[in-house]
Amino acid sequence: MTGARALLRTLTATATAGLVLLGGALAPAYAAAPNTEAATTRPDGCRAPAPQAPGTSVLHSMTSQGIERTYQLHLPPNYTPRRAWPVVLAFHGRGNTGAGTEEFSKLSTLPAVVAYPNGVIGTGDGDRQAWQGAPYEAPGVDDVAFTSDLLDTLENKLCVDQRRVYATGKSNGAGFIGLLACRMADRIAAIAPVAGAFYPATGQDCRPSRPVPVIDFHGTGDVTIPYAGDADRGLPAIPDWVGAWAQRNDCAKRVRDRVTEPDITVSRWVGCDKGAEVRHVAVTGGGHTWPGADSYSGGGYTTQTIEAHQVLWEFLHRYRLPRTATR
C-alpha cells in the first residue's frame, strides 16, 4: 500500500487535494472531480431507467455494421440517472474477453460506468478475438465504427457524461485505443494503454483532431510485446511510441524521470498543448501483465507496488473533452 501511495503522489499533480483519509490511511479521492451540470453534457439516457441493477455486470448485445456485437457493462453501486457519469471503455487483449479483463483489471471498482467490449474472432492461430489494427484483425470489421456505435448506445441507455469518456486496454486492446485516439479524439478524452501492442496500422496517418492526454504502462521484461520493440513485427520501442505522442501533443519538455518504487520509473512530458500531458510508467522486469492484478493477466512478473486501475484513473479523470468536441 505504501508503494502504491508513493506513485499516486508522483502521478497526480494535485495529490493533496486528490487524496482523502480513509480508515487511518490515504486512499484516492475518486469523487473529488466536480460533477455539476456546468461540467457535463447529458445525453438522452438521463431520462431512461437503468438497463440493469446498479453494482452489477451484465453482458449486452447490439448490432454494428450489420454484425452482432457484445459488451460487458458494469454500473457503479450508486448509479443513478440523476447525475451524468464518466465512462471507461476497456478493451481486452487478443484471445481474451471483456469479462476476463474485468476480473483482473479491477476497473469495475472505479466510480464510472465501465464497458468491456468483445472483439471479433480474427485470423492466425486459434479462434481468438482481436481488434482492428493488428495483423491478425478480423478482415472487414470496423472496430472504430463499432466503438462509436457503442458510445451512441450507452448514451441512449445511460446517464453518462459525453465529455468524460476514457479508453484503456491491454495488449492488442491497448494498441487499438491508440487507433481510437488518432481517429476519435472528438469522443475520447484521454487514454491509458497497458502492455500495448502498437502495430504500424494503429498509428499510420495519425492526425488527432485535438491533443489527447496519454498515460502508458509497460513492463521492461515483457517478452510478448518487447519494451525495446520488435522490427520483424513492426512494433516500435515503447519509449519511442510514447515520445511520438508527446510530439503530437506539442509538449514543451520531458521532465527528469523519477524512480518512485524499486521497480517503477515514471516519465512525464509537460507544457503540452491544451494541457494534454503524456506519462509513461515503466515496470522494471515487468511482464506482459496488468500492474496490481491479483489473477492471471499475462506471462511474466506482475508488480504489486502499484495498482494500474488507481493510477490510470487519477490521471484520466482530470480531463474533459472541450465543449466544441461533443455532439
Side-chain angles (χ1 to χ4, degrees):
M1 181 65 182
T2 301
R5 290 203 306 269
L7 183 62
L8 287 171
R9 286 196 295 270
T10 301
L11 290 176
T12 308
T14 55
T16 302
L19 296 174
V20 295
L21 194 64
L22 181 63
L26 286 173
Y30 290 144
N35 193 32
T36 63
E37 182 68 26
T40 63
T41 301
R42 298 169 65 88
D44 292 341
C46 295
R47 296 187 291 271
Q52 64 195 61
T56 63
S57 295
V58 176
L59 185 67
H60 293 258
S61 63
M62 58 177 284
T63 300
S64 175
Q65 310 296 300
I67 303 172
E68 185 176 359
R69 304 296 298 265
T70 61
Y71 61 97
Q72 184 93 345
L73 178 65
H74 178 82
L75 299 186
N78 53 340
Y79 174 83
T80 169
R82 291 190 296 273
R83 57 176 286 194
W85 292 81
V87 175
V88 176
L89 303 176
F91 294 86
H92 62 71
R94 183 190 187 194
N96 208 322
T97 63
T101 301
E102 180 179 26
E103 181 179 358
F104 66 69
S105 69
K106 307 177 189 176
L107 291 167
S108 290
T109 65
L110 298 178
V113 170
V114 187
Y116 303 86
N118 287 304
V120 175
I121 293 175
T123 61
D125 57 319
D127 294 333
R128 296 197 279 175
Q129 298 180 110
W131 297 106
Q132 184 178 353
Y136 42 78
E137 66 182 5
V141 174
D142 189 341
D143 284 320
V144 175
F146 164 55
T147 302
S148 180
D149 291 342
L150 173 59
L151 286 175
D152 290 345
T153 298
L154 295 178
E155 290 166 7
N156 288 330
K157 289 185 174 183
L158 298 165
C159 192
V160 298
D161 187 347
Q162 295 168 306
R163 297 181 62 207
R164 292 190 293 161
V165 176
Y166 313 106
T168 185
K170 165 84 180 350
S171 192
N172 173 215
F176 175 63
I177 67 169
L179 181 63
L180 289 181
C182 295
R183 300 189 185 180
M184 287 182 59
D186 61 330
R187 302 193 74 178
I188 305 293
I191 64 170
V194 180
F198 304 116
Y199 290 101
T202 64
Q204 287 175 348
D205 301 318
C206 183
R207 297 183 179 91
S209 59
R210 48 171 281 277
V212 180
V214 177
I215 181 169
D216 174 74
F217 300 76
H218 213 102
T220 64
D222 189 332
V223 297
T224 303
I225 306 295
Y227 192 82
D230 185 339
D232 291 340
R233 291 188 287 165
L235 294 169
I238 298 304
D240 292 345
W241 184 89
V242 179
W245 269 103
Q247 189 173 26
R248 287 188 191 98
N249 290 357
D250 197 22
C251 298
K253 67 176 181 178
R254 176 179 176 173
V255 300
R256 185 176 179 179
D257 292 354
R258 292 194 60 190
V259 178
T260 59
E261 297 295 334
D263 63 346
I264 301 295
T265 301
V266 179
S267 305
R268 297 175 59 215
W269 287 257
V270 298
C272 310
D273 188 18
K274 310 298 183 185
E277 187 173 318
V278 176
R279 298 189 186 184
H280 173 55
V281 181
V283 182
T284 303
H288 195 58
T289 59
W290 184 278
D294 295 330
S295 58
Y296 182 81
S297 65
Y301 165 66
T302 302
T303 183
Q304 296 297 326
T305 60
I306 62 169
E307 297 278 354
H309 72 290
Q310 291 179 349
V311 177
L312 67 82
W313 182 249
E314 287 297 318
F315 179 87
L316 296 177
H317 89 285
R318 299 181 295 126
Y319 293 100
R320 286 168 171 75
L321 289 171
R323 292 190 181 279
T324 55
T326 55
R327 300 182 301 172

